[in-house]
Amino acid sequence: MPPDPDIRFMPVTAADLPVLRAWLESPHMREWWGDADTELGYISDMLEGRDTTRPFIFHVDGERLGYIQYWIIGDAIAAGFQDKEPWLADLPAEAIGVDLSIGDPARLSKGVGTAVLTAFLRRLAGEGFQTIIIDPDEANGRAVRAYEKAGFVAYDRHIDKDGVTLLMRLPPERIEELKK
């Protein structure tokens, strides 16, 4: 990553769906995300207002590089996700979760994820969010390292039939630091 990259977040539109499909069908994303058609269905629900998750395409120095979203814990509980993810009940309803993926596999392990996530967290902290979590698969070491570099700290693990979810939280002091 060049020093001080220009990172921008553009709300996803229907015009982005073909690019998202290509990314979601790539092996490096298929490994951690679900079936491309299912995931695009979720994103379409977001675009059409049936899901409150906020989806964005991120650009670095003018180049479209990946996908990032944030979702509200209380809305996830209301939608029934607590059945599969019981740990949601341990968080405040106004807390948010973040997910991201880099679209181009050639950009993996180059500092893009950490830089983009830090910029997104700065934006979210500036909007007043006080509890921000991320929940990678524990086996996704590359993602876990990027999240740690952005300031997330692991606080718990959730084991289910699909594997181990590592629960990570951005400490309050990091949120305050990002507001500056």
Side-chain angles (χ1 to χ4, degrees):
M1 278 297 285
D4 198 28
D6 177 29
I7 299 172
R8 298 182 188 245
F9 303 97
M10 306 301 293
V12 171
T13 68
D16 295 312
L17 294 177
V19 169
L20 285 166
R21 174 176 292 285
W23 289 343
L24 287 163
E25 289 176 344
S26 65
H28 78 285
M29 281 185 72
R30 249 191 351 256
E31 183 176 6
W32 307 113
W33 289 74
D35 169 75
D37 288 330
T38 301
E39 296 297 333
L40 286 170
Y42 294 146
I43 294 169
S44 292
D45 286 347
M46 295 171 205
L47 297 180
E48 294 168 13
R50 291 185 300 271
D51 182 326
T52 60
T53 301
R54 308 298 194 285
F56 300 88
I57 298 289
F58 62 81
H59 299 248
V60 178
D61 292 331
E63 187 178 354
R64 180 172 47 192
L65 291 185
Y67 176 80
I68 194 164
Q69 66 183 21
Y70 76 89
W71 46 279
I72 301 165
I73 300 298
D75 292 347
I77 291 171
F81 286 100
Q82 185 179 348
D83 295 342
K84 184 178 184 304
E85 310 293 351
W87 52 268
L88 291 170
D90 298 332
L91 295 164
E94 68 277 3
I96 60 169
V98 176
D99 302 293
L100 83 147
S101 281
I102 296 168
D104 179 359
R107 298 303 194 109
L108 298 172
S109 299
K110 306 239 188 273
V112 172
T114 300
V116 167
L117 184 56
T118 299
F120 197 63
L121 294 171
R122 184 171 288 113
R123 174 183 173 149
L124 296 172
E127 290 177 16
F129 291 105
Q130 296 296 311
T131 304
I132 304 172
I133 63 111
I134 201 159
D135 59 335
D137 186 306
E138 186 176 66
N140 190 346
R142 179 178 21 242
V144 171
R145 284 188 300 280
Y147 303 159
E148 288 171 339
K149 288 177 187 176
F152 281 94
V153 176
Y155 71 91
D156 203 354
R157 300 166 74 232
H158 173 71
I159 301 169
D160 65 20
K161 65 177 179 51
D162 297 324
V164 180
T165 300
L166 185 64
L167 304 175
M168 304 179 80
R169 182 185 321 243
L170 200 62
E173 60 272 13
R174 177 67 171 139
I175 291 173
E176 289 305 313
E177 179 184 309
L178 289 166
K179 289 180 183 179
K180 298 175 185 174

